[in-house]
Amino acid sequence: MRIEVTINGERREAEVWAGESLLTTLRDRLELPGSKNACEQGECGSCSVLLDGELVCSCLVLAVQADAHEVVTVEGLGGDGALHAVQNAFADAGAVQCGFCTPGFVVAAADLLRRVPSPTDDEIREALSGNLCRCTGYQKILDAVHLAAAR
Ligand code: FES
Ligand code: FES
């Protein structure tokens, strides 16, 4: 079946099968590999995107559910090809090790700062609790979110 989705501000079309996840469509059909596929069970957050402004695990959303809706991926977070403040802060704070979890953390952190511009440690930990970093560099991720908020 054919779906039409606004992704990062651009109308995109894709031919998908009924049980296909939005994550698969983004990565395998629309050349947007920023959202990562690690667990495909909603456990790790590496596939996080915004669907109509709401943070979701794209591995748990059917592609057909995104039909006629709006998706923002890590590639489009900054807008106009620029990096988002959270992306710059992750780089400056050294919050990236292997980087596999980073897109998911960045999308979740950007979503938090949109809702809570100056979050506390606890608010950051709560907001990022659905994201797992296998390299376990959590303190620097926390630092990066504070840095982005301060800027
Ligand atoms: S790949 Fe979606 S939550 Fe892990
Ligand atoms: S930086 Fe490697 S999984 Fe998080």
Side-chain angles (χ1 to χ4, degrees):
M1 51 189 63
R2 193 150 198 85
I3 62 169
E4 193 173 307
V5 187
T6 301
I7 302 178
N8 301 331
E10 189 183 333
R11 289 298 263 190
R12 302 288 302 268
E13 292 183 12
E15 196 68 39
V16 305
W17 64 278
E20 181 168 309
S21 72
L22 175 59
L23 177 61
T24 296
T25 306
L26 293 172
R27 289 181 55 82
D28 297 350
R29 301 193 192 278
L30 297 175
E31 298 176 340
L32 290 166
S35 309
K36 299 293 183 250
N37 182 355
C39 73
E40 274 193 302
Q41 294 180 358
E43 297 289 343
C44 75
S46 64
C47 62
S48 299
V49 301
L50 300 174
L51 175 61
D52 292 337
E54 188 180 337
L55 186 68
V56 297
C57 292
S58 60
C59 70
L60 295 183
V61 175
L62 293 175
V64 292
Q65 291 177 292
D67 186 29
H69 291 271
E70 192 166 333
V71 172
V72 176
T73 70
V74 69
E75 290 94 339
L77 210 54
D80 294 331
L83 288 182
H84 188 278
V86 171
Q87 290 168 312
N88 281 318
F90 266 62
D92 293 344
V96 180
Q97 295 181 77
C98 80
F100 200 83
C101 68
T102 306
F105 271 102
V106 164
V107 172
D111 176 61
L112 168 66
L113 294 182
R114 186 179 50 80
R115 295 180 286 108
V116 185
S118 296
T120 63
D121 271 3
D122 283 350
E123 287 170 326
I124 296 171
R125 287 180 199 280
E126 170 68 25
L128 302 184
S129 61
N131 294 76
L132 300 181
C133 174
R134 292 156 188 81
C135 301
T136 67
Y138 289 105
Q139 184 56 50
K140 291 201 169 181
I141 290 172
L142 211 67
D143 295 344
V145 179
H146 281 302
L147 179 60
R151 285 173 172 173

